[in-house]
Coordinates of all heavy atoms in Angstrom, one line a residue:
M11 N 18.3 42.9 -55.2 CA 18.5 42.5 -53.8 C 19.9 42.2 -53.6 O 20.6 41.5 -54.4 CB 17.6 41.2 -53.5 CG 17.6 40.8 -52.1 SD 16.7 39.3 -51.8 CE 15.0 39.9 -52.0
S12 N 20.5 42.7 -52.5 CA 21.9 42.5 -52.2 C 22.1 41.0 -51.8 O 21.2 40.3 -51.4 CB 22.4 43.4 -51.1 OG 21.8 43.0 -49.9
E13 N 23.4 40.7 -51.8 CA 23.7 39.3 -51.5 C 23.3 39.0 -50.0 O 22.8 38.0 -49.6 CB 25.2 39.0 -51.7 CG 25.6 37.6 -51.5 CD 27.0 37.3 -51.9 OE1 27.5 38.0 -52.8 OE2 27.6 36.5 -51.2
R14 N 23.6 40.0 -49.2 CA 23.3 39.9 -47.7 C 21.8 39.7 -47.5 O 21.3 38.9 -46.7 CB 23.8 41.1 -47.0 CG 23.6 41.0 -45.5 CD 24.2 42.1 -44.8 NE 25.5 41.6 -44.3 CZ 26.4 42.3 -43.6 NH1 26.2 43.6 -43.4 NH2 27.5 41.8 -43.2
S15 N 21.0 40.6 -48.1 CA 19.5 40.5 -47.9 C 19.0 39.2 -48.5 O 18.0 38.6 -48.0 CB 18.8 41.7 -48.4 OG 18.9 41.8 -49.8
E16 N 19.6 38.7 -49.6 CA 19.2 37.4 -50.2 C 19.4 36.3 -49.2 O 18.6 35.4 -49.0 CB 20.0 37.2 -51.5 CG 19.7 35.8 -52.1 CD 18.3 35.7 -52.7 OE1 17.7 36.8 -53.0 OE2 17.8 34.6 -52.8
V17 N 20.6 36.3 -48.5 CA 20.9 35.3 -47.5 C 19.9 35.4 -46.3 O 19.4 34.4 -45.9 CB 22.4 35.5 -47.0 CG1 22.6 34.6 -45.8 CG2 23.3 35.1 -48.1
R18 N 19.6 36.6 -45.9 CA 18.7 36.8 -44.8 C 17.3 36.2 -45.2 O 16.6 35.5 -44.4 CB 18.5 38.2 -44.4 CG 19.5 38.7 -43.4 CD 19.0 40.0 -42.8 NE 20.2 40.6 -42.3 CZ 20.5 41.9 -42.4 NH1 19.7 42.7 -43.1 NH2 21.6 42.4 -41.9
S19 N 16.9 36.5 -46.4 CA 15.6 36.1 -46.9 C 15.5 34.5 -46.9 O 14.6 33.9 -46.5 CB 15.3 36.6 -48.3 OG 14.2 36.1 -48.8
Q20 N 16.6 33.9 -47.4 CA 16.7 32.5 -47.5 C 16.6 31.8 -46.1 O 15.9 30.9 -45.8 CB 17.9 32.0 -48.2 CG 17.8 32.2 -49.7 CD 19.1 31.8 -50.4 OE1 20.1 31.4 -49.8 NE2 19.1 31.8 -51.7
M21 N 17.4 32.5 -45.1 CA 17.4 32.0 -43.8 C 16.0 32.1 -43.1 O 15.5 31.2 -42.4 CB 18.4 32.7 -42.9 CG 19.8 32.3 -43.3 SD 21.1 33.0 -42.3 CE 20.8 32.3 -40.7
S22 N 15.3 33.2 -43.4 CA 14.0 33.4 -42.9 C 13.1 32.4 -43.4 O 12.3 31.8 -42.7 CB 13.5 34.8 -43.2 OG 12.2 35.0 -42.8
R23 N 13.1 32.1 -44.7 CA 12.3 31.0 -45.3 C 12.6 29.7 -44.7 O 11.7 28.9 -44.4 CB 12.5 31.0 -46.8 CG 11.4 31.8 -47.6 CD 11.6 31.6 -49.0 NE 12.3 32.8 -49.5 CZ 13.3 32.8 -50.4 NH1 13.7 31.7 -50.9 NH2 13.8 33.9 -50.8
R24 N 13.9 29.4 -44.5 CA 14.3 28.1 -43.9 C 13.7 28.0 -42.5 O 13.2 27.0 -42.1 CB 15.8 28.0 -43.9 CG 16.3 26.7 -43.6 CD 17.8 26.6 -43.8 NE 18.2 26.9 -45.2 CZ 19.4 27.4 -45.5 NH1 20.3 27.7 -44.6 NH2 19.6 27.7 -46.8
T25 N 13.8 29.1 -41.8 CA 13.3 29.1 -40.4 C 11.8 28.8 -40.3 O 11.3 28.0 -39.6 CB 13.6 30.5 -39.7 OG1 15.0 30.7 -39.7 CG2 13.1 30.5 -38.3
V26 N 11.1 29.4 -41.3 CA 9.6 29.2 -41.3 C 9.3 27.8 -41.6 O 8.5 27.1 -41.0 CB 9.0 30.2 -42.3 CG1 7.5 29.8 -42.6 CG2 9.0 31.6 -41.9
I27 N 10.1 27.2 -42.6 CA 9.8 25.8 -43.0 C 10.2 24.9 -41.9 O 9.4 24.0 -41.6 CB 10.7 25.5 -44.3 CG1 10.1 26.2 -45.5 CG2 10.7 24.0 -44.5 CD1 11.0 26.2 -46.7
L28 N 11.3 25.1 -41.2 CA 11.7 24.2 -40.1 C 10.7 24.3 -39.0 O 10.4 23.3 -38.4 CB 13.1 24.6 -39.6 CG 14.2 24.2 -40.6 CD1 15.6 24.7 -40.1 CD2 14.3 22.7 -40.8
R29 N 10.2 25.5 -38.7 CA 9.2 25.6 -37.6 C 7.9 24.9 -38.0 O 7.3 24.3 -37.1 CB 9.0 27.1 -37.3 CG 10.1 27.7 -36.5 CD 9.9 29.1 -36.1 NE 11.0 29.6 -35.4 CZ 11.3 30.9 -35.2 NH1 10.5 31.8 -35.6 NH2 12.3 31.2 -34.5
S30 N 7.6 25.0 -39.2 CA 6.4 24.3 -39.7 C 6.5 22.8 -39.6 O 5.6 22.1 -39.1 CB 6.0 24.7 -41.1 OG 5.8 26.1 -41.3
V31 N 7.6 22.3 -40.0 CA 7.9 20.9 -39.9 C 7.9 20.4 -38.5 O 7.3 19.4 -38.1 CB 9.2 20.5 -40.6 CG1 9.6 19.1 -40.3 CG2 9.1 20.8 -42.1
G32 N 8.5 21.2 -37.6 CA 8.6 20.9 -36.2 C 7.2 20.9 -35.6 O 6.8 20.0 -34.9
G33 N 6.4 21.9 -36.0 CA 5.0 21.9 -35.5 C 4.2 20.7 -36.0 O 3.4 20.1 -35.2
A34 N 4.4 20.4 -37.2 CA 3.6 19.2 -37.8 C 4.1 17.9 -37.1 O 3.2 17.1 -36.8 CB 3.9 19.1 -39.3
A35 N 5.4 17.8 -36.9 CA 5.9 16.6 -36.2 C 5.3 16.5 -34.8 O 4.9 15.4 -34.3 CB 7.4 16.6 -36.1
T36 N 5.2 17.6 -34.1 CA 4.6 17.6 -32.8 C 3.1 17.2 -32.8 O 2.7 16.4 -32.0 CB 4.7 19.0 -32.1 OG1 6.1 19.3 -32.1 CG2 4.2 19.0 -30.7
A37 N 2.4 17.8 -33.8 CA 1.0 17.5 -33.9 C 0.8 16.0 -34.3 O 0.0 15.3 -33.7 CB 0.4 18.3 -35.0
A38 N 1.7 15.5 -35.2 CA 1.6 14.1 -35.5 C 1.9 13.2 -34.3 O 1.2 12.2 -34.1 CB 2.6 13.7 -36.6
A39 N 2.9 13.6 -33.5 CA 3.2 12.8 -32.3 C 2.0 12.8 -31.3 O 1.7 11.8 -30.7 CB 4.5 13.4 -31.6
M40 N 1.3 13.9 -31.2 CA 0.2 14.0 -30.3 C -0.9 13.1 -30.8 O -1.6 12.5 -30.0 CB -0.3 15.4 -30.2 CG 0.7 16.3 -29.5 SD 0.3 18.1 -29.6 CE -1.2 18.1 -28.6
V41 N -1.1 13.0 -32.1 CA -2.1 12.1 -32.7 C -1.8 10.6 -32.4 O -2.7 9.9 -32.0 CB -2.3 12.3 -34.2 CG1 -3.1 11.2 -34.8 CG2 -2.8 13.7 -34.5
F42 N -0.5 10.3 -32.5 CA -0.2 8.9 -32.3 C 0.1 8.4 -30.9 O 0.3 7.2 -30.6 CB 1.0 8.5 -33.2 CG 0.7 8.6 -34.7 CD1 1.2 9.6 -35.5 CD2 -0.2 7.6 -35.2 CE1 0.8 9.6 -36.8 CE2 -0.5 7.7 -36.5 CZ -0.1 8.7 -37.4
V43 N 0.1 9.3 -30.0 CA 0.3 9.0 -28.6 C -1.1 8.6 -28.0 O -2.0 9.4 -27.9 CB 0.9 10.1 -27.7 CG1 0.9 9.7 -26.3 CG2 2.3 10.4 -28.2
K44 N -1.2 7.3 -27.7 CA -2.5 6.8 -27.2 C -2.3 6.4 -25.8 O -1.2 5.9 -25.4 CB -2.9 5.6 -28.0 CG -3.3 5.9 -29.4 CD -3.8 4.6 -30.1 CE -4.2 4.9 -31.5 NZ -4.5 3.7 -32.3
P45 N -3.3 6.5 -24.9 CA -3.1 6.0 -23.6 C -3.0 4.5 -23.5 O -3.5 3.8 -24.4 CB -4.5 6.4 -22.9 CG -5.4 6.7 -24.0 CD -4.6 7.1 -25.2
R46 N -2.1 4.1 -22.6 CA -1.9 2.6 -22.5 C -3.2 1.9 -22.0 O -3.8 2.4 -21.1 CB -0.8 2.3 -21.5 CG 0.6 2.8 -22.0 CD 1.6 2.6 -21.0 NE 1.7 1.2 -20.6 CZ 2.5 0.8 -19.7 NH1 3.3 1.6 -19.0 NH2 2.6 -0.5 -19.4
P47 N -3.5 0.8 -22.6 CA -4.7 0.1 -22.1 C -4.4 -0.5 -20.8 O -3.3 -0.8 -20.4 CB -4.9 -1.0 -23.2 CG -3.6 -1.2 -23.8 CD -2.9 0.2 -23.8
A48 N -5.5 -0.6 -20.0 CA -5.3 -1.2 -18.7 C -4.8 -2.6 -18.8 O -5.1 -3.3 -19.8 CB -6.7 -1.2 -18.0
A49 N -4.0 -3.0 -17.9 CA -3.4 -4.4 -18.0 C -4.6 -5.4 -17.9 O -5.5 -5.2 -17.2 CB -2.5 -4.6 -16.9
A50 N -4.5 -6.5 -18.7 CA -5.5 -7.5 -18.7 C -5.5 -8.2 -17.4 O -4.4 -8.4 -16.8 CB -5.3 -8.4 -19.8
K51 N -6.6 -8.6 -16.9 CA -6.7 -9.4 -15.7 C -6.5 -10.8 -15.9 O -6.7 -11.3 -17.1 CB -8.1 -9.1 -15.0 CG -8.2 -7.7 -14.5 CD -9.6 -7.6 -13.7 CE -9.8 -6.2 -13.2 NZ -11.1 -6.1 -12.5
M52 N -6.2 -11.5 -14.9 CA -5.9 -13.0 -15.0 C -7.3 -13.7 -14.9 O -8.2 -13.3 -14.2 CB -5.1 -13.3 -13.8 CG -4.8 -14.8 -13.6 SD -3.7 -15.0 -12.2 CE -2.2 -14.2 -12.8
A53 N -7.3 -14.9 -15.6 CA -8.5 -15.7 -15.5 C -8.6 -16.3 -14.1 O -7.6 -16.6 -13.5 CB -8.4 -16.8 -16.6
P54 N -9.8 -16.5 -13.6 CA -10.0 -17.0 -12.3 C -9.3 -18.4 -12.1 O -8.6 -18.6 -11.1 CB -11.5 -17.2 -12.1 CG -12.1 -16.1 -13.0 CD -11.1 -16.0 -14.2
A55 N -9.4 -19.2 -13.1 CA -8.7 -20.5 -13.0 C -7.2 -20.4 -12.9 O -6.6 -21.2 -12.1 CB -9.1 -21.4 -14.2
G56 N -6.6 -19.4 -13.5 CA -5.2 -19.2 -13.5 C -4.7 -18.8 -12.1 O -3.6 -19.0 -11.7
A57 N -5.6 -18.2 -11.3 CA -5.3 -17.8 -10.0 C -5.8 -18.8 -8.9 O -5.7 -18.5 -7.7 CB -5.9 -16.4 -9.7
A58 N -6.3 -19.9 -9.4 CA -6.9 -20.9 -8.5 C -8.0 -20.3 -7.6 O -8.1 -20.6 -6.4 CB -5.8 -21.6 -7.6
Y59 N -8.8 -19.5 -8.2 CA -9.9 -18.8 -7.5 C -10.9 -19.8 -7.1 O -11.3 -20.7 -7.9 CB -10.5 -17.7 -8.4 CG -11.7 -17.1 -7.8 CD1 -11.6 -16.1 -6.8 CD2 -13.0 -17.4 -8.2 CE1 -12.7 -15.6 -6.2 CE2 -14.1 -16.9 -7.7 CZ -14.0 -15.9 -6.6 OH -15.1 -15.4 -6.1
Q60 N -11.5 -19.6 -5.9 CA -12.6 -20.4 -5.5 C -13.6 -19.5 -4.8 O -13.2 -18.4 -4.3 CB -12.1 -21.5 -4.5 CG -11.4 -20.9 -3.3 CD -10.7 -22.0 -2.4 OE1 -10.0 -22.9 -3.0 NE2 -10.8 -21.9 -1.1
D61 N -14.9 -19.9 -4.7 CA -15.9 -19.1 -4.2 C -16.0 -19.1 -2.6 O -16.8 -18.4 -2.0 CB -17.3 -19.5 -4.7 CG -17.5 -19.0 -6.1 OD1 -16.9 -18.1 -6.5 OD2 -18.3 -19.7 -6.9
T62 N -15.1 -19.9 -2.1 CA -15.1 -20.0 -0.6 C -13.8 -19.6 0.0 O -12.8 -19.6 -0.7 CB -15.3 -21.5 -0.2 OG1 -14.3 -22.3 -0.9 CG2 -16.7 -22.0 -0.7
P63 N -13.8 -19.2 1.3 CA -12.5 -18.7 1.9 C -11.5 -19.8 2.1 O -11.9 -21.0 2.0 CB -13.0 -18.2 3.3 CG -14.5 -18.3 3.3 CD -14.9 -19.1 2.2
K64 N -10.3 -19.5 2.4 CA -9.3 -20.5 2.8 C -8.8 -20.1 4.2 O -8.1 -19.1 4.3 CB -8.2 -20.5 1.8 CG -7.1 -21.5 2.1 CD -6.1 -21.7 1.0 CE -5.2 -22.9 1.4 NZ -4.2 -23.1 0.3
G65 N -9.4 -20.8 5.1 CA -9.1 -20.4 6.5 C -9.6 -19.0 6.8 O -10.8 -18.7 6.4
D66 N -8.8 -18.1 7.3 CA -9.2 -16.8 7.6 C -8.9 -15.8 6.4 O -9.1 -14.6 6.5 CB -8.7 -16.2 8.9 CG -7.2 -16.2 8.9 OD1 -6.5 -16.7 7.9 OD2 -6.6 -15.7 9.8
Q67 N -8.4 -16.4 5.3 CA -8.1 -15.6 4.1 C -9.3 -15.6 3.2 O -9.8 -16.7 2.8 CB -6.9 -16.1 3.4 CG -5.7 -16.1 4.2 CD -4.5 -16.7 3.4 OE1 -4.6 -17.2 2.3 NE2 -3.3 -16.7 4.0
Q68 N -9.8 -14.4 2.8 CA -10.9 -14.3 1.8 C -10.8 -13.0 1.1 O -10.1 -12.1 1.6 CB -12.3 -14.5 2.5 CG -12.6 -13.5 3.5 CD -14.0 -13.8 4.2 OE1 -14.3 -15.0 4.4 NE2 -14.7 -12.7 4.5
C69 N -11.5 -12.8 0.0 CA -11.3 -11.6 -0.8 C -11.6 -10.4 0.0 O -11.0 -9.3 -0.3 CB -12.2 -11.7 -2.1 SG -11.7 -13.1 -3.2
S70 N -12.6 -10.4 0.8 CA -13.0 -9.2 1.5 C -11.9 -8.6 2.4 O -11.9 -7.5 2.8 CB -14.2 -9.4 2.4 OG -14.0 -10.3 3.4
N71 N -10.9 -9.5 2.8 CA -9.8 -9.0 3.6 C -8.5 -9.1 2.8 O -7.4 -9.1 3.4 CB -9.7 -9.7 5.0 CG -9.4 -11.2 4.9 OD1 -9.0 -11.7 3.8 ND2 -9.7 -11.9 5.9
C72 N -8.6 -9.0 1.5 CA -7.4 -9.0 0.6 C -7.3 -7.6 0.0 O -8.2 -6.9 -0.3 CB -7.7 -10.0 -0.6 SG -6.4 -9.8 -1.9
S73 N -6.0 -7.1 -0.1 CA -5.8 -5.8 -0.5 C -6.1 -5.5 -2.0 O -6.2 -4.4 -2.4 CB -4.3 -5.4 -0.2 OG -3.5 -6.1 -1.0
L74 N -6.3 -6.6 -2.7 CA -6.6 -6.5 -4.2 C -8.1 -6.5 -4.5 O -8.5 -6.3 -5.6 CB -5.9 -7.6 -4.9 CG -4.4 -7.6 -4.8 CD1 -3.8 -8.8 -5.5 CD2 -3.8 -6.3 -5.4
F75 N -8.9 -6.7 -3.4 CA -10.4 -6.8 -3.6 C -10.9 -5.4 -3.9 O -10.5 -4.4 -3.3 CB -11.0 -7.4 -2.4 CG -12.5 -7.6 -2.5 CD1 -13.0 -8.5 -3.5 CD2 -13.4 -6.9 -1.7 CE1 -14.4 -8.7 -3.6 CE2 -14.8 -7.1 -1.9 CZ -15.3 -8.0 -2.8
Q76 N -11.9 -5.3 -4.8 CA -12.6 -4.1 -5.1 C -14.1 -4.3 -4.9 O -14.7 -4.9 -5.7 CB -12.3 -3.7 -6.6 CG -10.9 -3.4 -6.9 CD -10.6 -3.1 -8.4 OE1 -11.0 -3.9 -9.2 NE2 -9.9 -2.0 -8.7
A77 N -14.6 -3.8 -3.8 CA -16.0 -4.0 -3.4 C -16.9 -3.4 -4.5 O -16.5 -2.4 -5.1 CB -16.2 -3.4 -2.1
P78 N -18.0 -4.0 -4.8 CA -18.6 -5.1 -4.1 C -18.2 -6.5 -4.7 O -18.3 -7.5 -4.0 CB -20.1 -4.9 -4.3 CG -20.2 -4.2 -5.6 CD -18.9 -3.3 -5.8
S79 N -17.7 -6.6 -5.9 CA -17.5 -7.9 -6.5 C -16.4 -7.9 -7.6 O -16.6 -8.6 -8.6 CB -18.8 -8.4 -7.0 OG -19.3 -7.5 -8.0
A80 N -15.3 -7.3 -7.4 CA -14.3 -7.3 -8.4 C -12.9 -7.4 -7.7 O -12.8 -7.2 -6.5 CB -14.3 -6.0 -9.2
C81 N -11.9 -7.6 -8.5 CA -10.5 -7.7 -8.0 C -9.6 -7.0 -9.0 O -9.9 -7.0 -10.2 CB -10.2 -9.2 -8.0 SG -8.4 -9.5 -7.6
Q82 N -8.6 -6.4 -8.5 CA -7.6 -5.7 -9.4 C -6.8 -6.7 -10.2 O -6.3 -6.4 -11.3 CB -6.6 -5.0 -8.5 CG -7.2 -3.8 -7.8 CD -6.1 -3.2 -6.9 OE1 -5.0 -3.0 -7.3 NE2 -6.5 -2.8 -5.7
L83 N -6.7 -8.0 -9.8 CA -5.9 -9.0 -10.5 C -6.7 -10.0 -11.2 O -6.3 -10.4 -12.3 CB -5.0 -9.6 -9.4 CG -4.0 -10.6 -9.9 CD1 -2.9 -9.9 -10.7 CD2 -3.4 -11.4 -8.7
V84 N -7.8 -10.5 -10.7 CA -8.5 -11.6 -11.2 C -9.8 -11.1 -11.9 O -10.5 -10.2 -11.4 CB -8.9 -12.6 -10.1 CG1 -9.6 -13.8 -10.7 CG2 -7.6 -13.1 -9.5
D85 N -10.0 -11.6 -13.1 CA -11.2 -11.1 -13.9 C -12.5 -11.8 -13.4 O -12.5 -12.8 -12.8 CB -10.9 -11.6 -15.4 CG -11.7 -10.8 -16.4 OD1 -12.3 -9.7 -16.0 OD2 -11.7 -11.2 -17.5
G86 N -13.6 -11.1 -13.8 CA -14.9 -11.7 -13.5 C -15.5 -11.2 -12.2 O -14.9 -10.4 -11.5
T87 N -16.6 -11.8 -11.9 CA -17.3 -11.5 -10.6 C -16.6 -12.2 -9.5 O -16.4 -13.4 -9.5 CB -18.8 -11.9 -10.7 OG1 -19.4 -11.3 -11.8 CG2 -19.5 -11.6 -9.4
I88 N -16.2 -11.5 -8.5 CA -15.4 -12.0 -7.4 C -16.3 -11.9 -6.1 O -16.7 -10.8 -5.7 CB -14.1 -11.2 -7.2 CG1 -13.2 -11.3 -8.4 CG2 -13.3 -11.7 -6.0 CD1 -12.8 -12.6 -8.9
S89 N -16.4 -13.0 -5.4 CA -17.2 -13.0 -4.2 C -16.4 -12.5 -3.0 O -15.2 -12.8 -2.9 CB -17.6 -14.5 -3.9 OG -18.1 -14.6 -2.6
P90 N -17.0 -11.7 -2.2 CA -16.2 -11.2 -1.0 C -15.7 -12.4 -0.1 O -14.7 -12.2 0.6 CB -17.2 -10.4 -0.2 CG -18.3 -10.0 -1.2 CD -18.3 -11.1 -2.2
S91 N -16.4 -13.5 -0.2 CA -16.0 -14.7 0.6 C -15.2 -15.7 -0.2 O -14.9 -16.8 0.2 CB -17.2 -15.3 1.2 OG -18.1 -15.7 0.3
G92 N -14.7 -15.2 -1.4 CA -13.9 -16.1 -2.3 C -12.4 -16.0 -1.8 O -12.0 -15.3 -0.8
W93 N -11.6 -16.7 -2.6 CA -10.1 -16.7 -2.3 C -9.4 -17.1 -3.5 O -9.9 -17.8 -4.4 CB -9.8 -17.7 -1.2 CG -8.4 -17.9 -0.8 CD1 -7.6 -17.2 0.1 CD2 -7.5 -18.8 -1.4 NE1 -6.3 -17.6 0.1 CE2 -6.2 -18.6 -0.8 CE3 -7.6 -19.8 -2.4 CZ2 -5.1 -19.4 -1.2 CZ3 -6.5 -20.5 -2.8 CH2 -5.2 -20.3 -2.2
C94 N -8.1 -16.7 -3.6 CA -7.2 -17.2 -4.7 C -5.8 -17.2 -4.2 O -5.5 -16.7 -3.1 CB -7.4 -16.4 -6.0 SG -6.3 -15.0 -6.1
K95 N -4.9 -17.9 -4.9 CA -3.5 -18.0 -4.4 C -2.7 -16.7 -4.4 O -1.6 -16.7 -3.9 CB -2.8 -19.1 -5.3 CG -2.6 -18.6 -6.8 CD -1.9 -19.8 -7.5 CE -1.6 -19.4 -9.0 NZ -1.0 -20.5 -9.7
Y96 N -3.3 -15.6 -4.9 CA -2.6 -14.3 -4.8 C -3.1 -13.5 -3.7 O -2.9 -12.3 -3.6 CB -2.7 -13.6 -6.1 CG -2.1 -14.4 -7.3 CD1 -2.8 -15.0 -8.3 CD2 -0.7 -14.5 -7.3 CE1 -2.2 -15.7 -9.3 CE2 0.0 -15.2 -8.3 CZ -0.8 -15.8 -9.3 OH -0.2 -16.6 -10.2
W97 N -3.8 -14.1 -2.8 CA -4.4 -13.3 -1.6 C -3.2 -12.5 -0.9 O -2.2 -13.1 -0.7 CB -5.0 -14.3 -0.6 CG -5.6 -13.6 0.6 CD1 -6.8 -13.1 0.8 CD2 -4.9 -13.3 1.8 NE1 -7.0 -12.5 2.0 CE2 -5.8 -12.7 2.7 CE3 -3.6 -13.6 2.3 CZ2 -5.5 -12.3 4.0 CZ3 -3.3 -13.2 3.6 CH2 -4.2 -12.5 4.4
V98 N -3.5 -11.2 -0.6 CA -2.6 -10.4 0.1 C -3.3 -9.7 1.2 O -4.4 -9.1 1.0 CB -2.0 -9.3 -0.9 CG1 -1.0 -8.4 -0.1 CG2 -1.3 -9.9 -2.1
K99 N -2.8 -9.8 2.4 CA -3.5 -9.3 3.6 C -3.7 -7.8 3.4 O -2.8 -7.0 3.0 CB -2.6 -9.5 4.8 CG -3.3 -9.0 6.1 CD -2.4 -9.4 7.3 CE -2.8 -8.8 8.6 NZ -4.2 -9.0 9.0
K100 N -5.0 -7.4 3.6 CA -5.3 -5.9 3.5 C -4.7 -5.2 4.7 O -4.8 -5.7 5.8 CB -6.8 -5.8 3.6 CG -7.3 -4.4 3.3 CD -8.8 -4.2 3.5 CE -9.6 -4.8 2.4 NZ -11.1 -4.5 2.5
A101 N -4.1 -4.1 4.4 CA -3.4 -3.3 5.5 C -4.5 -2.7 6.4 O -5.6 -2.4 6.0 CB -2.6 -2.2 4.9
G102 N -4.1 -2.5 7.6 CA -5.0 -1.8 8.6 C -5.8 -2.8 9.3 O -6.5 -3.1 10.0
Ligands
SF4_210 S1 -8.0 -13.3 -2.9 FE1 -7.4 -11.2 -3.5 S2 -6.3 -11.4 -5.4 FE2 -7.4 -13.3 -5.1 S3 -9.4 -13.0 -6.2 FE3 -9.7 -12.4 -4.0 S4 -9.4 -10.2 -4.0 FE4 -8.5 -11.0 -5.9

């Protein structure tokens, strides 16, 4: 084998190895990329949640309320007529 073809052969082997390593690294990265867990909700007591409205403010007219009985921010069963200190007026 001539010196030139020996160099080509070595470069070809190196290319194959580097591509394999690159592919393995990509596969490994795909295995270790996990979806982010949903943010934890706040405890009702931490939000000063109560089962009754505060004036005309209540969960059913809060933008964070998720009918029929949940909230994007506060954990647990949320009454449509409840209220907490993070109440935000529902648009519309
Ligand atoms: S007032 Fe809004 S933020 Fe507070 S518990 Fe009710 S829906 Fe959630």
Side-chain angles (χ1 to χ4, degrees):
M11 187 181 291
S12 73
E13 189 173 324
R14 180 174 265 179
S15 64
E16 176 68 25
V17 169
R18 270 196 204 134
S19 176
Q20 285 178 353
M21 288 182 68
S22 177
R23 263 184 260 134
R24 191 172 301 151
T25 302
V26 168
I27 290 168
L28 288 174
R29 285 184 180 161
S30 298
V31 169
T36 302
M40 291 170 70
V41 168
F42 290 110
V43 173
K44 293 181 180 174
R46 291 176 60 184
K51 291 184 180 181
M52 176 178 293
Y59 174 78
Q60 58 190 43
D61 285 335
T62 54
K64 183 171 186 177
D66 61 353
Q67 298 178 0
Q68 60 183 37
C69 295
S70 63
N71 61 19
C72 171
S73 66
L74 300 175
F75 185 63
Q76 296 175 311
S79 57
C81 171
Q82 295 175 39
L83 184 69
V84 179
D85 200 13
T87 302
I88 301 298
S89 168
S91 58
W93 176 89
C94 87
K95 65 182 181 182
Y96 296 109
W97 180 89
V98 178
K99 183 177 173 53
K100 188 188 283 185

